Amino acid sequence: MTDAQRQQASNYKIAILVVALAFVFNFLGRGVGNTYMAFLVPLDREYEWTRTATASVYSFYMLASALAAPLVGVIFDRFGPRIVYRSGLIIMGCAYLLASHLTELWQLYLLVGVLSGISVSALGMIPASALIGRWYQKGTSTAIGIAYAGFGAGNLLIVPFSQYMISTEGWRAGYEVLGAILLICVPFTFLLPWNRIKAGSPDYQPVKAESDQSQKRTALLKSAMKTPDFWSLVVVVFFASFAVFVVMVQAIIFLVDHGFSATHAAAAFGITGMLSVFGMVSIGWLLHHFGNRNVVTFSFLLTFIGTVFIYILSYKHSPIILWLYVLTFGLSQGVRGPIVSVICTRLYAGSAHATIYGTISALGTLGSATGAWASGFLYDYSGEYRLGFMAGMVSVFLGAIPFLVNKKIANA
């Protein structure tokens, strides 16, 4: 084998490693973060906190993730993935270990809300999208779809595992185990070739160094924020996130309240995550054959239908309707995220990509926080879940509008 061939093989391995790492860190971050839906049931039973208060913990989690996103982008642009990923694992692992000893509501907000949210941002798609952009000038959408699939895989495996721990050992032991798993992963980050990963493929053309890169990134961000494309993507992420989380945060406890066992409810939640993997992995093929607008519109339609099914469940206990909800809601649950990430990579490639995408993620993900809060508030206000589900249906239509009126993001 010649030197050129060996170098090409090495580049190929690093490119595969980049996608694998993005998948694994998404798997750990969002998988562990979304276990709160399972912990909500025992916390609701043990403490006399309102549903608004407990659901708002997840709002703080999403809000912290959103507010941390621009900072994560800046840190990544300046210091690279090693610091970002390692910090995310350490902070989240310590937060969950401490959460096993919580006794007050403010502790839940700080540990499982704020610190967990910051960590998920560091472990999520901001560094992943930037790295994939450096290694995949072709096949970007497929690579990003695989990375996003870590979200669904985490829901499939980690959430039911947490429910098992809660059922057998209690919720405090569940938090201890999750924290330990995250911290055990930290030493493995010292074995990775971070400098090589950060450098990008030979085809990657980084922007030439300037005297003040932070000023340039800020200028590029301000320039992007003056365009309708930037705000169109924000609107899509905001309302898509609201539509999902106004339903998803209460899904497990809703099913338990309507006659399903906690194990059955957690399994349904996990399978919803598994189905989202299929949607996200296939996103590259779907976009190539059907285009952004058609794929997004169809995904919003599936989300709407899935929300209708869970709304029907509030009137009728039916395993068949439950699985129809799981199928439709699950397949569409995470599709908008990879699409927005792909579009952002194409529209804002360069040294400020992570900063711009982080800002879009931060502003749009406020919809997740609002949806989580609304799910608890509307439950306390009405005494049942239907108003929250109806709000999700309305949000679906609002989220689809930008792809119907903005030709640039529809065809990017």
Side-chain angles (χ1 to χ4, degrees):
M1 181 181 292
T2 65
D3 290 342
Q5 289 174 324
R6 278 192 289 269
Q7 184 61 43
Q8 185 177 16
S10 175
N11 292 335
Y12 178 77
K13 291 178 181 177
I14 296 295
I16 297 298
L17 177 62
V18 165
V19 174
L21 288 175
F23 178 93
V24 169
F25 285 121
N26 279 328
F27 172 85
L28 290 171
R30 286 297 289 270
V32 172
N34 283 345
T35 60
Y36 185 67
M37 285 69 157
F39 284 94
L40 184 58
V41 177
L43 289 171
D44 187 70
R45 302 292 186 263
E46 183 167 335
Y47 296 101
E48 296 181 356
W49 298 327
T50 66
R51 189 65 62 82
T52 303
T54 52
S56 293
V57 172
Y58 199 84
S59 295
F60 269 66
Y61 161 81
M62 297 305 303
L63 185 61
S65 178
L67 294 176
L71 179 60
V72 169
V74 170
I75 293 174
F76 179 92
D77 288 332
R78 294 191 64 180
F79 301 106
R82 177 184 358 224
I83 298 298
V84 172
Y85 280 134
R86 193 174 296 161
S87 298
L89 288 173
I90 293 172
I91 294 171
M92 196 172 194
C94 291
Y96 273 69
L97 284 179
L98 292 172
S100 66
H101 301 286
L102 67 85
T103 57
E104 303 290 337
L105 183 61
W106 71 265
Q107 297 167 341
L108 189 64
Y109 273 81
L110 174 63
L111 298 172
V112 180
V114 176
L115 294 182
S116 180
I118 293 171
S119 303
V120 166
S121 186
L123 296 171
M125 281 306 300
I126 296 167
S129 178
L131 287 176
I132 288 171
R134 297 182 183 192
W135 282 95
Y136 290 87
Q137 282 70 52
K138 296 180 179 179
T140 305
S141 57
T142 299
I144 287 178
I146 293 172
Y148 258 102
F151 293 178
N155 288 342
L156 171 64
L157 298 177
I158 298 179
V159 174
F161 170 74
S162 298
Q163 181 59 57
Y164 170 79
M165 290 298 303
I166 293 168
S167 300
T168 58
E169 304 295 334
W171 65 268
R172 296 185 186 275
Y175 274 136
E176 284 183 350
V177 170
L178 292 175
I181 290 173
L182 291 166
L183 292 178
I184 288 171
C185 294
V186 173
F188 292 97
T189 65
F190 288 88
L191 305 176
L192 297 170
W194 290 112
N195 290 335
R196 187 73 185 89
I197 290 171
K198 178 182 177 181
S201 71
D203 297 329
Y204 174 66
Q205 298 294 330
V207 176
K208 295 181 180 180
E210 297 184 1
S211 58
D212 194 345
Q213 281 291 335
S214 63
Q215 288 186 3
K216 178 168 185 178
R217 283 189 290 269
T218 301
L220 290 172
L221 174 60
K222 289 180 178 178
S223 178
M225 293 179 72
K226 294 178 181 178
T227 66
D229 310 320
F230 179 94
W231 293 106
S232 292
L233 294 176
V234 169
V235 169
V236 172
V237 177
F238 182 93
F239 285 109
S241 299
F242 184 98
V244 169
F245 284 92
V246 76
V247 174
M248 195 173 72
V249 170
Q250 301 284 347
I252 291 179
I253 196 168
F254 162 79
L255 293 174
V256 172
D257 286 348
H258 285 77
F260 296 94
S261 69
T263 301
H264 195 176
F269 185 92
I271 294 173
T272 301
M274 179 193 70
L275 291 171
S276 72
V277 172
F278 290 102
M280 288 184 280
V281 169
S282 63
I283 196 63
W285 184 87
L286 291 171
L287 293 177
H288 177 73
H289 285 82
F290 301 103
N292 297 343
R293 178 179 293 164
N294 291 332
V295 174
V296 169
T297 302
F298 183 67
S299 75
F300 274 121
L301 178 61
L302 283 181
T303 300
F304 178 84
I305 294 172
T307 307
V308 170
F309 280 130
I310 198 170
Y311 181 89
I312 294 172
L313 277 175
S314 66
Y315 290 99
K316 178 180 177 61
H317 178 96
S318 169
I320 294 176
I321 295 175
L322 169 62
W323 295 115
L324 288 173
Y325 153 73
V326 168
L327 178 65
T328 51
F329 199 86
L331 284 174
S332 61
Q333 179 175 298
V335 171
R336 275 80 55 167
I339 294 174
V340 170
S341 183
V342 169
I343 294 171
C344 190
T345 299
R346 293 172 179 172
L347 295 181
Y348 307 112
S351 63
H353 169 266
T355 302
I356 295 172
Y357 178 66
T359 305
I360 290 174
S361 178
L363 295 172
T365 306
L366 292 175
S368 305
T370 306
W373 172 83
S375 70
F377 173 79
L378 293 173
Y379 177 85
D380 285 336
Y381 174 79
S382 64
E384 45 89 17
Y385 299 89
R386 295 177 190 127
L387 280 181
F389 298 156
M390 293 170 65
M393 296 177 201
V394 173
S395 187
V396 164
F397 288 101
L398 297 176
I401 290 175
F403 276 91
L404 300 176
V405 301
N406 188 320
K407 294 182 179 179
K408 190 171 181 179
I409 68 168
N411 299 315

